[in-house]
Each structure stands twice: as C-alpha cells, then as structure tokens.
Amino acid sequence: MILLCLDVSNSHTSIGAFDLSTGTEQGELIGHWQVASDERRTADEWQVLITGLTVRAGIDEIDAVSLCCTVPTILVELRSMQERYYADLPVSIVGPGVRTGVPIHTDNPREVGADRIVNALAAVELYGGPAIVVDLNGTATIFDVIDEDNRYIGGAIAPGVELSLDALARRGAQLRSVELAQPRDVVGKNTVEAIQSGMVFGSAGLVDGMVTRIIESLGSDPDHVAVIATGTFPAAVVDNCTTITARDPFLTLTGLRLVHERNH
C-alpha cells in the first residue's frame, strides 16, 4: 500500500511516498521530493507534477493520501485534485475533525496551523515530551512546544532566513542577495561575508536564544528536552546551533503518515 503525503507551506511543498504494505518495514519512506508552492498551479497541474515524480520513482499507483496545507488558495486546488483523481481513496486533510491524538492547549486550537499540529504529533510519537520542534523554512522559523504530558501548548513564530535575506537585499541600497553559507569569521571582511555572518550566526543565535527561553518557561531539565530541527533548514544555520538535539527533515511527512494511520 502506497501512501502519498503532501506538506504545503508558503514557499515549498514537500512530497513523500510511504510503503505501508505488510511484509515491508512499516512506514518506509520510499520517495521524497520538494517543489515550489506555486499558487497559480491548478488541480490538474498538481496531479501531473505528482504523477511525474512518482512514476519516475517506480511508483505506479497511489492507495491513500494525507496532506496539510497552510496556503488557502493552494488548498482549494488540492481539494479539487483529490475529488477528481483520488475520490475513491482514503484521504486525510489535516484540519478540524481530523484525529491526531495530541491535545491542543492554546487559546484557539482552530487557528493553529495544520503543519504545526502534524509536527507535534510526529515529535510526540518519535521523541516524546517535553520537546521543541524548530521548523526552519524560507518564510518563517516556527517553534512548536510539547510539554511533559505530550500536550501541544503553543510556540513562537519569527521571520524565516530566506525572507529576512530577501528583505535585506530589497531594502538595502548597497546590499544584495548572497549565498547562505558560513563565512570565514563572525567579523565579515567584506559586504558579502558581513551579510552571511548576520544571517547564519544571527539566525543560529535566534534559535538558541528562543529554545533556551522556552525550556526555562517549561521548567524542564534542558538535558531531557528533545529539540528537533525540521523543514527546509539551511545546514549552515543548524550547524551553528548548540541547542538542537536531532535533525529530522522528514518530520512533517512522518506526521502525515501518522495522521493517516489514526484516521483510517
């Protein structure tokens, strides 16, 4: 049985295929891809894109679908794709009414992003609470917090590394976009290295500072808190974080697999 998972964020979409067949490693990720989250893409174009990727990987048939989407205009097209191409299959679209098994203790649980709920579910299943998921993607750096009772209790959102870099290049008259790589030293000797230093070491400092404050708020022993980096994170940033205890770029896809298992 092949489960197709889609994690659609503002900038990127992660697509994964899990083999859930008996006789194989349960939940084996047999294919994964990343594409741009293009709001102009129609339902038919999404289907052509997905089919092209899966067929090239030797996957001839999809048996179930699980997805989460934080972009309303794209979600409309994905629902249309599901109705047109996967109407007879088990489909899980993360949102109100979908079972995850993770209690959400926030002021308004309905406003918590679907991807954040999925990340919390995967963190609870794989690492257990207390845990902090640091989701680094182009648009935002998101911190999701699970307490020792495996409850999702909230988090924090900061501008993403790529968003900050793009804003700096657009608004700074003498600044420009640069490769997000680690410079020779924290003290840049030229404009490119100065920007790289601010982006790489500054972003790592943001992550470490926020994680430290969150752990203090939890009142937990730092040695007993799992801090998981996920998303399309820049390696240069995560390499300079001292608080990250695990890297799991497929955490959200794993969470989508767990959503399918809990609802079908």
Side-chain angles (χ1 to χ4, degrees):
M1 176 180 178
I2 302 300
L3 171 67
L4 175 70
C5 295
L6 292 93
D7 166 31
V8 184
S9 65
N10 289 291
S11 55
H12 298 89
T13 294
S14 295
I15 303 172
F18 289 91
D19 187 350
L20 306 183
S21 304
T22 56
T24 66
E25 180 182 346
Q26 288 293 306
E28 180 185 2
L29 184 64
I30 60 173
H32 57 87
W33 309 270
Q34 190 174 99
V35 300
S37 296
D38 189 347
E39 296 185 44
R40 300 169 299 176
R41 191 175 290 138
T42 66
D44 295 325
E45 289 173 325
W46 275 106
Q47 176 61 15
V48 169
L49 174 63
I50 291 168
T51 301
L53 293 172
T54 54
V55 169
R56 283 178 64 95
I59 301 170
D60 299 323
E61 187 172 355
I62 301 299
D63 300 295
V65 179
S66 182
L67 68 89
C68 66
C69 178
T70 59
V71 186
T73 54
I74 295 180
L75 182 57
V76 170
E77 296 300 326
L78 292 178
R79 288 186 183 276
S80 177
M81 178 192 72
Q82 177 261 319
E83 294 170 358
R84 185 173 303 176
Y85 297 100
Y86 304 115
D88 298 329
L89 303 183
V91 175
S92 300
I93 300 178
V94 180
V98 173
R99 294 189 299 273
T100 63
V102 178
I104 303 175
H105 286 240
T106 62
D107 291 340
N108 185 1
R110 288 181 173 270
E111 72 179 10
V112 179
D115 55 338
R116 303 180 71 182
I117 296 172
V118 171
N119 282 342
L121 170 59
V124 167
E125 182 74 15
L126 300 180
Y127 302 92
I132 303 169
V133 177
V134 185
D135 189 349
L136 295 110
N137 58 65
T139 304
T141 298
I142 303 173
F143 301 84
D144 292 311
V145 185
I146 299 96
D147 68 10
E148 61 182 4
D149 296 319
N150 291 332
R151 302 176 301 180
Y152 177 87
I153 62 172
I157 303 174
V161 180
E162 292 180 12
L163 179 66
S164 300
L165 189 58
D166 290 343
L168 194 65
R170 286 198 308 269
R171 300 293 294 272
Q174 295 184 337
L175 302 178
R176 59 187 183 275
S177 184
V178 301
E179 178 188 3
L180 195 60
Q182 183 166 326
R184 292 176 295 177
D185 189 73
V186 68
V187 180
K189 300 299 184 181
N190 52 63
T191 301
V192 170
E193 289 188 348
I195 295 174
Q196 289 175 331
S197 176
M199 287 294 102
V200 172
F201 299 123
S203 298
L206 165 69
V207 170
D208 289 337
M210 286 298 298
V211 167
T212 299
R213 287 176 179 268
I214 290 170
I215 292 175
E216 290 175 354
S217 176
L218 287 172
S220 301
D221 182 346
D223 293 334
H224 296 156
V225 179
V227 183
I228 310 107
T230 191
T232 55
F233 55 77
V237 172
V238 178
D239 287 346
N240 285 281
C241 294
T242 60
T243 55
I244 299 296
T245 62
R247 303 187 190 192
D248 191 343
F250 306 124
L251 187 74
T252 312
L253 293 178
T254 299
L256 287 170
R257 173 179 64 80
L258 294 169
V259 167
H260 166 78
E261 293 172 355
R262 279 161 171 70
N263 287 271
H264 299 282

